Amino acid sequence: MSAEATNPEAAPTDVTVRRRGRARIDLRRLGRAALLNATAGPAPRDRLPDAIGHVAEAHRAHHPEADPTVLGRAYVLAESSHRGQFRKSGEPYITHPLAVTLILAELGAETTTLTASLLHDTVEDTEVTLDQVRREFGDEVAYLVDGVTKVEKIDYGAAAEPETFRKMLVATGNDVRVMSIKLADRLHNMRTLGVMRPEKQARIAKVTRDVLIPLAERLGVQALKTELEDLVFAILHPEEYETTRALVADHPGAADELGAVAEQVTAVLREAGIGAEVLVRPRHFVSVHRVRLKRGELRGCDFGRLLVLVAEDADCYGVLGELHTCFTPVISEFKDFIAAPKFNLYQSLHTAIAAPDGAVAEVLIRTHRMHKVAEAGVVALGNPHVGQEPDGTAPAAGLPPAEDGERVDPTRPGWLSRLLDWQQSAPDPDTFWTSLRADLAEDDEITVFHADGSAPGTISLPAGASCVDAAYAQHGEAAHACLGARVNGRLAPLSTVLGDGDTVQLLLAQDAVSGPSPEWLDHARTPAARIAITGWLRAHPESAAPPAPTDPRPQPSVPADRRSGAELHADLDGEPPAAVRPAGCCTPVPPDEITGFRVRGGSVTVHRARCSAVDTMRGLGREPVTVRWGDTAQGRVTLVAESFGRPGLLADLTEAIAAFGAAVVSANVEPPTEQRVRHTYTLQLPDAAGLAALMKAMRDVPGVYDVSRARHSRGLG
């Protein structure tokens, strides 16, 4: 695990400060032990080979009840099959699987993972077959070994590396332990990369930076991620690395400054009766480099953080309360990842406090279990198929198998499900490799809720994703027909960027001809969306340009028809009759409740009773005039149709209007804005009673999401 080994069995009121770290195992010494073991012959059956003793010791520290016998058998097979093979450093090859297994053992991996890690290169580099591994160690171990075995370069050529990662990721979707072994394998290879040519070092370091480190972050294996970051930093940025290394070397007293703050924190917690262990946690080189870029000149406390470990979740908040009461908190630094865990299982409270002498120290507060998961991530979760707890114990009942026979993995996160979905649409290795790096470059994840009828659910998306991404995440290629969305109940364009916790309802066209526009690519963040959109546009090149207008029916400007509307009468108390006309702002039709007002020229304008112009007229001191409908059933009305643009939409709308016998008096189509189009029609109705049915028919036209009576202001006369 990390340098700060913890003791979950500490007494409830014991508060300790620790600054010591555990030395890294000497892998060269392990290599010599392996070589001696190889020449001395097999070990007696009643004890493990000497070379694997370190692994067994680390394994027992996390799993006291584990039987290490199977590890001994796996080591014997690995050592005998790799005998005579050497690494480029000159060490016996068996030192590599031993080192990988030791890394995983220190992180708390269970026996099956360690067995597979000892054998992870046998099928790829020796005469051992996968069937042999399956016969001797079972299906679980064989699956893990196969998952990390590279594809044959002779079969895939230059595509071997991306196809190997594709294979590993698909296997990881079934069992995350596959990627755990790969990450430990890459860590040991990076530790010993110095024997390679500089150009090969750089190539491997870039792949590690772009793919393996993001995967370690997403799987929560911080202990591996931080060391990989430092190793990559040294290779790809040697000057910055040396500057940072020298900066750390020039501040040997940084740990003492943090230690002084730690002692103050210890005293506060002891007085409050909170059992805790306070650790001084040095930053790794990349972290120091980032802090220096952010803050400029560094002080002693900037070279590390304090880690406070407690027994229960409630104690975390108790510690937080005491620290914020007895020290000056830096509120902007507070984050609660316990109430809202990160998508990679990480839980902790983050804060920063200012000591009386002005030193500001960052503090991490978590339970022992949280710390184990924070350091080891999915490795600490053990075998996902028996539902082990993070402490290695198994619950009363295991997980049921999936209906389709696939393995069930409760640790499979949303980002991995998305990746496995879109990789199926990227058969080209270059597309897959480019999309994988782009997907892993996203630093955060959000969860949005979709509610389509009776099927509410959640969608996991990268931060910055839009409605376009949500559409393809939920509907796959059916999202080609997406017309728009409602975000938190309000209509929104597909370009809308979603936030964590938003509710999204996606609107799909019912016809089969709708498709995405090239502009969608500007709003798509996920590879799944970009691959699907690009594929559709390639298959429909005519959609890249706006279609030429070929519809012979009425287009955006139609001359007005001066036919009269429904008959209206005004009661003017014996005054001479005056012209009575419906107001253009609300276009009332029978049987709307109406009221009238005199306007310039002596005529009477009739409004719907709820028209906003009525209140305005009253505010101006205008007296209302009593008006009523005559016997004529026909009427004139102005309707506004809100829609998403698509070819043939205007023709479909006018056809729906014509089907009700309504005549178009005038029509106007505003220029599209963010793929939305507003149509305004003034219609002559043969029977005003059919208005509601006409509006429903217009709403049923694919692409139309709302139809309403006009409410614009036309002046007050």
Side-chain angles (χ1 to χ4, degrees):
M1 198 177 294
S2 69
E4 298 87 11
T6 63
N7 178 20
E9 306 300 329
T13 58
D14 180 38
V15 183
T16 59
V17 181
R18 293 180 53 214
R19 307 184 196 181
R20 293 182 300 170
R22 182 167 47 181
R24 180 179 293 173
I25 297 295
D26 185 350
L27 297 176
R28 294 187 180 275
R29 180 170 55 82
L30 276 177
R32 288 193 294 272
L35 184 59
L36 288 174
N37 181 77
T39 58
R45 290 191 176 189
D46 58 347
R47 68 181 180 85
L48 291 175
D50 293 338
I52 202 174
H54 297 290
V55 173
E57 181 183 353
H59 187 38
R60 281 193 294 265
H62 293 278
H63 304 282
E65 304 301 322
D67 180 8
T69 304
V70 67
L71 298 180
R73 291 195 293 113
Y75 171 76
V76 169
L77 177 59
E79 192 280 326
S80 61
S81 60
H82 287 298
R83 189 174 299 170
Q85 296 178 347
F86 295 88
R87 309 191 79 220
K88 289 187 180 297
S89 60
E91 296 169 319
Y93 194 88
I94 189 62
T95 59
H96 172 64
L98 268 174
V100 172
T101 306
L102 183 58
I103 290 169
L104 292 169
E106 290 181 323
L107 290 173
E110 36 68 63
T111 307
T112 302
T113 304
L114 301 185
T115 304
S117 67
L118 281 169
L119 301 170
H120 79 272
D121 276 338
T122 55
V123 174
E124 181 179 322
D125 295 333
T126 76
E127 298 299 321
V128 175
T129 66
L130 197 61
D131 286 339
Q132 182 180 351
V133 173
R134 184 177 291 108
R135 284 195 305 270
E136 296 191 29
F137 300 97
D139 291 338
E140 295 273 339
V141 172
Y143 184 87
L144 299 179
V145 171
D146 184 45
V148 295
T149 299
K150 297 177 183 177
V151 301
E152 292 288 346
K153 193 166 186 178
I154 192 172
D155 296 329
Y156 288 89
E161 185 171 41
E163 290 303 328
T164 293
F165 272 99
R166 189 200 297 266
K167 176 189 174 187
M168 288 181 191
L169 288 167
V170 171
T172 299
N174 235 8
D175 194 325
V176 292
R177 293 176 294 178
V178 171
M179 192 53 65
S180 300
I181 296 172
K182 177 59 183 176
L183 290 171
D185 172 74
R186 179 53 60 95
L187 176 57
H188 182 243
N189 283 332
M190 289 294 296
R191 285 176 178 175
T192 57
L193 203 59
V195 297
M196 299 285 188
R197 299 188 309 275
E199 58 271 18
K200 190 167 185 179
Q201 289 186 38
R203 184 185 66 78
I204 294 175
K206 287 177 182 177
V207 173
T208 303
R209 177 196 63 193
D210 296 343
V211 179
L212 273 304
I213 288 175
L215 284 171
E217 168 72 17
R218 280 156 176 71
L219 293 173
V221 195
Q222 294 296 320
L224 299 187
K225 178 210 167 193
T226 53
E227 188 175 350
L228 284 172
E229 282 185 328
D230 281 352
L231 292 167
V232 168
F233 188 37
I235 293 172
L236 298 183
H237 306 282
E239 294 182 1
E240 291 90 341
Y241 176 82
E242 284 301 323
T243 299
T244 305
R245 189 189 61 77
L247 188 64
V248 173
D250 290 343
H251 289 78
D256 293 334
E257 292 187 42
L258 271 173
V261 179
E263 289 173 358
Q264 297 176 48
V265 170
T266 299
V268 167
L269 298 182
R270 182 180 292 115
E271 184 176 348
I274 299 176
E277 184 177 7
V278 183
L279 310 176
V280 175
R281 186 178 177 86
R283 292 183 185 274
H284 63 295
F285 285 170
V286 169
S287 180
V288 172
H289 176 68
R290 289 170 180 159
V291 172
R292 184 174 67 85
L293 293 178
K294 178 181 177 181
R295 301 177 185 172
E297 185 177 353
L298 300 183
R299 301 178 60 181
C301 288
D302 293 329
F303 288 89
R305 293 183 286 192
L306 298 184
L307 174 63
V308 181
L309 297 176
V310 295
E312 303 292 339
D313 290 11
D315 294 336
C316 295
Y317 294 97
V319 170
L320 181 71
E322 292 298 326
L323 294 184
H324 282 194
T325 300
C326 300
F327 299 90
T328 302
V330 182
I331 301 301
S332 61
E333 296 293 326
F334 173 68
K335 297 181 180 68
D336 187 347
F337 294 118
I338 295 179
K342 287 187 176 183
F343 65 91
N344 61 359
L345 311 178
Y346 179 86
Q347 287 186 286
S348 185
L349 294 179
H350 290 202
T351 189
I353 56 173
D357 61 357
V360 176
E362 293 184 30
V363 185
L364 310 177
I365 308 168
R366 57 181 72 143
T367 65
H368 291 280
R369 172 174 291 191
M370 290 177 191
H371 181 59
K372 184 172 183 179
V373 175
E375 291 291 283
V378 296
V379 179
L381 299 180
N383 184 349
H385 311 302
V386 298
Q388 283 188 331
E389 297 294 334
D391 59 4
T393 60
L399 295 168
E403 294 181 2
D404 58 0
E406 292 291 323
R407 293 160 173 257
V408 180
D409 187 353
T411 67
R412 175 167 161 174
W415 66 265
L416 182 54
S417 296
R418 289 199 315 273
L419 190 155
L420 295 175
D421 288 339
W422 68 251
Q423 68 86 23
Q424 296 177 357
S425 302
D428 175 56
D430 290 338
T431 301
F432 166 75
W433 198 229
T434 302
S435 300
L436 175 64
R437 294 185 181 209
D439 195 2
L440 294 176
E442 303 295 341
D443 292 331
D444 210 346
E445 186 168 281
I446 62 172
T447 299
V448 298
F449 300 87
H450 67 79
D452 293 329
S454 59
T458 61
I459 310 172
S460 297
L461 296 169
S466 68
C467 292
V468 172
D469 299 300
Y472 283 95
Q474 181 180 351
H475 296 292
E477 292 192 356
H480 293 331
C482 192
L483 300 170
R486 291 182 183 272
V487 178
N488 300 325
R490 299 175 65 87
L491 286 167
L494 289 175
S495 59
T496 302
V497 175
L498 300 171
D500 196 33
D502 282 349
T503 299
V504 183
Q505 181 182 357
L506 299 160
L507 309 175
L508 303 182
Q510 302 302 313
D511 60 274
V513 299
S514 298
S517 68
E519 288 76 17
W520 287 20
L521 289 172
D522 296 333
H523 313 304
R525 295 289 298 274
T526 59
R530 298 188 65 83
I531 290 171
I533 295 168
T534 302
W536 193 92
L537 293 174
R538 286 175 180 169
H540 302 79
E542 69 280 1
S543 300
T550 57
D551 200 317
R553 287 180 248 199
Q555 293 297 313
S557 182
V558 179
D561 186 335
R562 297 298 181 184
R563 288 179 296 176
S564 61
E567 184 178 352
L568 285 164
H569 300 281
D571 185 357
L572 301 179
D573 296 329
E575 296 185 24
V580 182
R581 57 181 175 81
C585 58
C586 57
T587 58
V589 295
D592 289 340
E593 184 180 351
I594 53 177
T595 187
F597 293 92
R598 284 185 179 273
V599 295
R600 287 191 298 269
S603 60
V604 175
T605 299
V606 179
H607 297 263
R608 293 164 64 190
R610 295 184 179 180
C611 178
S612 60
V614 172
D615 293 334
T616 303
M617 297 288 273
R618 291 181 186 275
L620 294 174
R622 304 278 185 91
E623 289 295 326
V625 174
T626 302
V627 291
R628 64 184 186 279
W629 294 111
D631 296 332
T632 306
Q634 65 175 332
R636 182 175 294 182
V637 65
T638 300
L639 300 179
V640 177
E642 301 279 354
S643 67
F644 297 99
R646 66 170 177 83
L649 178 61
L650 181 60
D652 292 344
L653 272 171
T654 53
E655 185 176 353
I657 293 170
F660 274 78
V664 178
V665 177
S666 66
N668 182 65
V669 180
E670 298 178 12
T673 302
E674 293 186 326
Q675 301 179 0
R676 291 187 293 179
V677 183
R678 179 192 292 265
H679 304 246
T680 304
Y681 297 94
T682 299
L683 307 175
Q684 186 72 28
L685 307 180
D687 185 353
L691 176 61
L694 170 61
M695 294 173 67
K696 181 179 183 303
M698 293 174 66
R699 289 192 191 100
D700 289 340
V701 173
V704 177
Y705 58 80
D706 194 21
V707 176
S708 60
R709 301 273 290 276
R711 296 178 181 275
H712 57 279
S713 176
R714 291 284 189 87
L716 304 176

